[in-house]
Amino acid sequence: MKILILIFYLIKLSISISLQFSNSLQRFVYDDVTDTIILASVNRIYSLNGSNLSILSDIDTSLSSSKIDQDCSIKNKSSLTKSLYYFATSSYLTPSINNTFNQLLLLTNNRTILICSTSNRGRSCQLRSLINLDFMKNSSQRVVSSSPFLPSVGLINKNNQILYISNTYDSVCDPFYEIPTISGRHLTDNDFLSIINLNSGQSALQQSTYTLRLLNIRLIRDFFLYYLYAFEYKHFSYFLTIQQSDIHQTRKYKLQTKILRFCQTLKQPIIKSYVELPLTCGKDYHYLVRAKFSNEKKILYGLFRNTTSANSSSTSHAICSYSIDTIQEAFFQTIKRCLVDGKGYRGLDFISPDTHCIPSKNLNQMNHDYCPDENDRFFQYPIGGHRSIEEIEPIIELYDRVNFTAIEIGSNEKDTIIFIGDDNGTVHTFQTSNTNEIYKQSFQSKIIVDLKLINTIPTLKDAKLIVLTENQIIKQNLSTCEQYTTCNECSTIPLCHWCSRENRCTATFECEYENQRTNRINMCAYIEQVIPQTITLNVLNIELQVMFNVPLRSDTNEYMCGFTFKNGEQLYRTNASLSHNIVKCFPPILNNMNQAIYNVVLSIEHVKGNVTFGSYSLIFLNCSNFASCSSCTLYSNLCLWNRETVKCIFQQNDRFLLSNNQSLIINSQQCPFIYLQQSRNRLAYHVDKTFFVHIEQCNQSVNISSCYLYDHRKRFSLFESNPVLIRSVNENNLCLLICSFQWSNSKNFNQISFHRPLNLYLSIQFSNKTISMIPHTPISLYHCEHMALNCTSCLQLDPSYECTWCNNMCMFKNQSRTCSTNSECLMPIIHTIEPLVLPMNGGTLVTLKGKYFDLFGLSIQIADVPCQLIEQESSTNKIVCQSGDAGSTFRAGMVRLKFGLHGPQISSHEMISYINPKINSVEPLIGIQSGGTVLTISGENFIIGNSHLSVFIGNRSCQLLSISSKKIECETRSFPRSMLNENQTINILFDRQTKLIYKFLFTIVPNPILYGFDKNSQYRSFASGGHEMIIIGENFNIIQNIQLEFRQFIFVSPLYQNNTHLVFLTPSIEELNLYEQQKVEIKIYLDNFNKTSSLIYIDDPMVYELEPMLQPYTSELTIQGINLTSVGHTKNHIIVQIGCDLCTVIHLQADKIICQPPRYRPEKYSKANRLCYSSEHPSIIVTIDNIRAHVGFMIYPKKLIILGVLSGCLFTIVFIVLIIIVIVSLKIRFTQRRSCKTYFCTNSIISHGIQQEKPYLITNSLSAGLPIRSYVNYLQLCYYYNHLTSNKRLFNFKQETMNQYKFLLENNEQLIDFLFKLSIKSNNKNILNNLILTQRYNLKKLFKYNHPLIYYNICILTAYDTFLINSIHSLLSQIYSQLKFKLYNGPIDAIEQVISYYSLNIDTILQEYSIQFKNIRLTVHIDFNNDKNSNELLLNITCLTCDTISQVKTKILYELNSVNPMSINESKLYLLTNHSCSSSSSSSTASSSVPLTRKSMLTKVLYSRSIKYSTTIINDTYRDSCNLLLNDIDNTSEQIHNAKKLNTLQHYGINSDGYELKLVLSIKQMNHADNSFNLINTLQKSCHYCSLTTCGEKIMFNYLTSPPLSNIDTLLAYDRTHYIHLLNHTYEEIDSELGQSLINNNNNHDETFRLFETKAMINSLLINLIETLFKNLIHNDTFFNELMEQYSQVCHQYYAHFIPFIFQNIDCLFDVSIDKCLNNSLNILSMIFQIACCQQYEQECLLCNELLNSKNSNSSIQNCTLLFADEIQRVRLYYSNLEQSLKDRTSSSEYSSTNIGIDKKFELDDSIFHDLFEYSCSHADQIIEHLKNQSSDTDALSIFLSLIKQYRSMELT
């Protein structure tokens, strides 16, 4: 209701009506349309006539009261005295058995009344008609509180008819989930009082979230929350409460007043926009009693109390006001602080758990009316502000010994009146402008319950006040002074005032221009005369003399002069003095006055009485504001007209008038008839100009038809045919003529030129054809371009000409707005142009860098082709333009810049050219539908312009792989079915505009067809591999990349292929890291098309040696065996060789092979001059796949050539041969008895197993995955690599001392908390980590410190289990093995072990293009130096020809799979040479040019298969044997300058397969080897928790002081400055055939190719690992996953920092060794996660900032982005989705599990507590002060003081 004017009521003269009731009254509402009052009392509701308070109707509400209601009311009344806060408004109510209390009484929009009572425990809510109270509808829902002492407060939104209601909980009778604290409810017919958005079928526990509830039932009983008042503004609901102080309240008070707000939207729950702020009044008033919101002034008024109790001696009250703008600003700053700045808290404790705010919004997304969008699921809520809305100075402080109970506000434009009621039946009234005067009116009642001002007719007379007490309602008319008509009558009436200006009697508040007073002196006095009456504002020393009709009081300091404009807008006061009944004062100093004449009202104020009386009109003049000469000279005694300046000026004195007599006009008769408004008038050439002409004595008959400008010779003219004539409103007979001249209306101006300003004259033509020229006012015409021909002269012109230098010419300023006022006169310069080669059809952004560019009117030509300027990207130092179309012919030229029409023109020194790219060929021109076809586009000039290049096949893009000037490679994507068997164009688009189309078309064909290759089919292979898998299908010839994947581990290319058949060789189970035969998955990749099947490995067949070994020639040779046909071999698949010739297989079955040997003895050398056998008889070798078995020898008969001369010699030779054969046969039989197992030689790339029957057989520990470290060992290594170690300086503290300190840490939270804050402040990582370890079983409480290192350490402690689930450790193990396998396939630097041929790191890849190497297979004899083993272990290894001797040893020891380290320096490697060599051959005479080796041990038939060596004979100086000792450095090493080359295998001539080496282990290594077997078995059988669960003794954690032992020794013992490893061996060191093949095979192996080749080895495993880490990890039920869901920083630290750390230090998790080459590649893998996950948190995560700001990481980031761009994007997508899902989950979760720390039990080493104890002692003073102030535990303080004393005594000793 609009209240226009409110006035004080008068006690004696007021007209009042009252109505008394027997039952207690509670509340009322008033409807101003029907003039109806609805009154609620105990047990009844009344409808009253607002004019006379007659009862229209009433109803009884006590009928439905139940015993439960009565019990609740009585209990609440009895507990009221124990309440924390006293509420006087309900103190008068007395519960009884039959009483029903009203809780809610609200008017609705449709003239109905909503009534809710305590009956039926708050379920009684009815909608009734306004006047008759007829029943309309009701609701049985719990809406209000069941106790009248715990009220319900509500409001009804006028727009959407929604009831917003708050309830104070009744802990005795109100169920927790049945009645919400705050809710929004419908008032519509169908959903009457139902909660908004409540879904049908939901229980009370599942009700709509459009409510606000306390956190749990305990808070309902213990948390004090009382709702007092509600109002709405715009689309917000506001509620005021008294509630318990929160934990962040720094004040000492237990209770506080709060104002809360939420948005009135149906699409978001209340809690989503809930914000609350403290509200205080002054310094001492914190407890709100009543409040009222003024809709007229948009101000909230609050009545506050300084105590929670009532009627105490110190109780006082105060009233404060808060503008709605201030309130909105406070809420906006609170929301901004939380959502934008990330400061403050959300949760509020009593609604949901209190947590820190997180920044999630930008400032430009918010305003003061901000409400979260319905789709904004990540809005943080509820938000609690702890910065109070404070009103420092209350309006008034009240010290009456009463309790105030009601407040009402009334206001007009000038002042505000406040009514307050108390519990003594008194209404107190005062004005805010005069709080010293308080009027009181008492009623015969105990308490004033409510007050209401009503105003049915908006006049001053009809303001009425309704007063509600506990037993009566009173209506008072407040205005009665109007009946007195004279000042004398009015002055005799108390509280009435004679308003002298309006000349009527009013209440004191009604007189708008005169304040109230308490005495009657001078009320009827008036001003008779004021001298002077006209005053100029330019004079400050004129004193006014004011004379009155009656004598005034002679108090000289009691009066002031008040000056008010007649419109009442401004009021000025000056001091006044009274002398001889004349008041003297000076006029005020008025500034910024824009009128010429001001009518001012002078009044006199009595200071002490605060009374205004008397009124007189004055005239204030401002001469400078007179617009005409006539009006100026009307006040000629004060103002004069200056004809030169065309202004009215103040007349200072007579001397001034005489000195300027010629230019001044004194009287109006001298005023000119017409004149220009400006004193100086200029016209710029070709610039339109408007002139203003004043015409005086301008009557209504004056009309102007045109204006003319012409020179004195009238050679040319400007004319305006439609001038505008404006007649002045303020001054009579004054017109303003506006002549706007446009150069389009000029005549003959182009026929005359002028270089100096030319005077023009202005004439006007009246409608009667009379022409009048304006005298003495020439207009200067000028041309800036003619007045100055250079920059300097232009800038030196009079600034009033407004000429400036622009575009290398002098121009009028308005014609060149882009130029500055004082432009520098410098010539533009072009420094650089990029790019210099452009595509023909344009579209390229060309950048010109230089100085002094002017963009205005700039034209750009590139080789005579226009280039369009891009102004947004250009500046004075840079020009960016887009090249245009140059046609179809080649052109080249310079860049030309033209600056404006008259500006300079410059050209570049560099030439720029337009050329056309050219396509020579595209291969292939056919591809499959699934894509994956790599197109190679050859041509010329591909890298031109901005290098923005796109390739399209039809309308489908082709993914670019590489671009060079002459070649483009791209990979096709999948094509839609509609493009099958269709020819598509191949288009290349350069810089989005130049299109190149290839002349031939690309054909898309269906995917290849595979027969019998699917999930239901199975292939077979022997365990040794090498079996030919034949895959049959169609369209294989069009496939480029064909690979067969085995167990996601090894990729194999086809051995043979044609259009219908693919042949692959199966790998061995050792290559697949399989321990036993099993079924594995195989997948074939045909470009982007793939299909899956399976392969079953079965045991290898056995091929028996022949009996006897020496078989005489026969036509059929039978070889026995087992399982020869298990995998489907036919006779064509079995190869039997006798020497160099084949033994044709004629029959094959499972247990035997029958073949036909060649008829004649095979030659020893093949046609390729290869030695097939060196023994006397050709060997018989059976080959089945990878199985190669030597079964015996074939004896062919000799051809006897009988020569008479040589017969005796031949007989002798035959005899000797027979003896030798007997000896050999005996030895063979002896060997067969000792060993019946056949030696097999495999052709696998790397052998991981050792096939030898030995009791000490060492198995490969990696075949079943890498061994995982125990939890404690994992922790130790993690902390070691994070540079966390224990303090080396330790004191010998007594155990008792340390036990006391441990007890103090475990039982004193204040000490732990303070130590955490100290370590964070000092950035002491060691101490911080030690503290985290001590709190390992209670980690959740550490999140309050919000420190990234804490989050990171928690990841280390809790993430161990995540690697043991979802095969994460298995995938990491496979990536490690595959990567290491690939790296060791190429050369690795032997000295630094950093640079390698294959790598993922561009910085560590071998840059030499001439490196030549090959893989060779060597047979190694392992001498265990043990007499118990009569036989050696045979081992096949794969090495590189460029491996150093130390690298060969390393690979041999790696094949032994020794867990304990074996030093390569303690073992010796020998080359087994020919036994027939001379005794002079030794290691000292070895040369790279003389190969001294023998190829195969089995080919030496004349010697035993097992050669015995004695460790006492073979040594470093062994010269009696032909075995050659191999070393990195010896006297054969090549000298290069001052350094020696390390010896390699090819240095000793070992450059092909079959050479034999011997490794002799030391006794120490033998012990390691024996222990390794047992230790490996133990590791394979034990679990990763063995150190935690199976060990009976205590598990102790301590920091590592040295790095873990490495399994690989390096050449660190050598001096790196004296030895080098030259990898690019010259071709002279290798035979010519091998060298030529190496050259041919390695031309394309450049660095980038090798990077991607290394990536391809692990790519599928890496993608699988990424998906496992993100998709499966979050769904596991572990403590770490719970932390990740609840704390987003844990998720960030895990993926952005912890996972990269594991990659960089994989030996933390696995018991493996990491060399530098492998570590450098793993670092690149770690960067994938760092790049993808660090950018979003760079502002708030310290670890992210360190990474992104590190200069060392720039190259690694670029390297990783080059290789793994898709993987980075994949991780980033997974990470953002996971982060989003975690936010969703967090927003809907209010509870967490009981887990608070890790579940693995171990103890900490005493060194950790020593460090903590020493740190605590070093900060003893701070800790002691903290314990004194914060802790009440004196025992803890005494213990700590005792410990400090012991520490200091120890330190002294």
Side-chain angles (χ1 to χ4, degrees), residues 399-419:
Y399 298 98
D400 301 60
R401 295 296 180 86
V402 293
N403 290 305
F404 289 99
T405 57
I407 185 172
E408 176 63 337
I409 307 297
S411 61
N412 64 1
E413 297 179 355
K414 295 296 181 179
D415 209 346
T416 301
I417 185 171
I418 299 178
F419 305 87

Side-chain angles (χ1 to χ4, degrees), residues 1774-1832:
Y1774 280 141
Y1775 180 76
S1776 60
N1777 291 340
L1778 177 61
E1779 191 178 41
Q1780 196 87 330
S1781 65
L1782 290 180
K1783 287 183 179 179
D1784 289 347
R1785 190 172 301 184
T1786 303
S1787 62
S1788 60
S1789 176
E1790 295 184 358
Y1791 305 98
S1792 61
S1793 69
T1794 58
N1795 296 332
I1796 58 175
I1798 63 174
D1799 57 353
K1800 300 170 182 61
K1801 305 299 181 183
F1802 60 91
E1803 294 185 4
L1804 303 178
D1805 186 73
D1806 282 343
S1807 61
I1808 295 174
F1809 292 100
H1810 279 74
D1811 289 348
L1812 289 175
F1813 182 49
E1814 187 174 356
Y1815 183 82
S1816 301
C1817 294
S1818 64
H1819 296 79
D1821 296 336
Q1822 296 170 269
I1823 295 175
I1824 292 172
E1825 185 66 25
H1826 178 77
L1827 292 177
K1828 286 181 179 179
N1829 297 333
Q1830 302 295 329
S1831 178
S1832 59

Side-chain angles (χ1 to χ4, degrees), residues 287-316:
Y287 310 111
L288 183 68
V289 178
R290 295 299 292 269
K292 188 76 72 171
F293 180 70
S294 172
N295 286 313
E296 290 76 19
K297 289 201 169 185
K298 302 296 183 289
I299 295 176
L300 174 67
Y301 294 88
L303 176 61
F304 288 83
R305 195 166 64 206
N306 65 341
T307 59
T308 57
S309 59
N311 298 323
S312 65
S313 58
S314 60
T315 300
S316 59

Side-chain angles (χ1 to χ4, degrees), residues 1068 1070-1071 1244-1248 1381 1384-1385 1417 1438 1455:
S1068 65
E1070 287 85 358
E1071 292 176 283
S1244 58
I1245 298 174
I1246 288 184
S1247 176
H1248 291 283
F1381 169 78
Y1384 278 81
N1385 273 350
R1417 297 277 296 173
T1438 300
E1455 287 296 320

Side-chain angles (χ1 to χ4, degrees), residues 1125-1145:
T1125 59
S1126 300
V1127 296
H1129 282 97
T1130 65
K1131 61 183 181 181
N1132 295 327
H1133 298 104
I1134 307 297
I1135 299 174
V1136 181
Q1137 283 181 298
I1138 300 178
C1140 292
D1141 295 343
L1142 293 176
C1143 183
T1144 306
V1145 178

